[in-house]
Amino acid sequence: MTDGTPSRLPLDWIAAALRRERTRAGLSLSELAKRAGIAKSTLSQLEAASGNPSMETIWALGVALGVPFSALVEPPAPAVQVIRAGEGPAVASEQANYVATLLSASPPGARRDIYHLRAEPGAARESEPHIPGTVEHLIVSTGRVKAGPRGESVELGPGDYMTYRGDVPHAYEALVPGTTFVLIMQHV
């Protein structure tokens, strides 16, 4: 807004997050409203993306659901995220020629399997969906690879990073000889 007042969060973000977390917790509308100390009608309006939630209401719902405030108000993550080589939040060392770029922080309770893969041009490696909640992280070391969910694949080069859902059909295809990449499968 032009008067210095911050713009409001889109209600559909909050509604989707509330429904997701309430379902995950196995709570009815009535039970969650009771635990949060709010009216069931208020919660129903919020889950329908209407109403006017205050910080206190959202905070109370987060506590009742056992999730941080941010889980209810942060924007939905894109289905596919790409960080190109040389991009991303980097921190340099004072003691050596060493720069660390955070590509992905591990969510609480996550399990990760890390693979180093070597691929050559030819047929794509088609992968069926993994267990629900699987997320894949891919970092290209050498060569070029086309990877990602069906219909959302992206071409990547050395140093590029990509993340996407691994619980949907996806594929990897080497585009040049000697392609290598690191694949991290995160199971929540």
Side-chain angles (χ1 to χ4, degrees):
M1 301 182 86
T2 57
D3 66 359
T5 305
S7 60
R8 298 194 50 80
L9 292 170
L11 290 175
D12 55 332
W13 294 356
I14 296 169
L18 282 170
R19 285 189 304 272
R20 176 189 70 233
E21 295 301 330
R22 183 174 61 78
T23 301
R24 180 196 54 77
L27 298 174
S28 66
L29 277 170
S30 297
E31 182 60 24
L32 177 55
K34 179 181 171 185
R35 290 183 183 189
I38 65 171
K40 179 181 172 185
S41 60
T42 300
L43 179 56
S44 181
Q45 286 177 341
L46 291 176
E47 284 198 9
S50 62
N52 188 16
S54 68
M55 177 188 299
E56 292 77 13
T57 298
I58 296 170
W59 199 277
L61 287 164
V63 169
L65 288 164
V67 299
F69 178 84
S70 61
L72 300 179
V73 298
E74 70 183 346
V80 175
Q81 178 186 1
V82 175
I83 298 175
R84 297 288 181 191
E87 296 179 357
V91 179
S93 169
E94 292 179 348
Q95 301 172 356
N97 186 2
Y98 181 93
V99 177
T101 302
L102 177 64
L103 301 177
S104 172
S106 180
R111 297 174 304 166
R112 288 189 172 167
D113 300 328
I114 302 173
Y115 302 89
H116 181 263
L117 293 120
R118 213 177 42 229
E120 297 296 330
R125 164 64 173 100
E126 299 286 337
S127 183
E128 292 302 313
H130 302 300
I131 62 174
T134 299
V135 175
E136 294 194 357
H137 304 266
L138 188 151
I139 305 164
V140 178
S141 303
T142 60
R144 295 198 71 71
V145 65
K146 185 175 180 180
R150 284 191 192 143
E152 297 182 84
S153 60
V154 175
E155 187 174 321
L156 305 166
D160 287 347
Y161 162 80
M162 174 184 198
T163 186
Y164 51 88
R165 289 179 52 193
D167 57 2
V168 297
H170 54 283
Y172 323 92
E173 180 182 1
L175 301 177
V176 298
T179 295
T180 60
F181 55 97
V182 173
L183 177 68
I184 301 165
M185 293 180 64
Q186 171 183 306
H187 311 285
V188 180

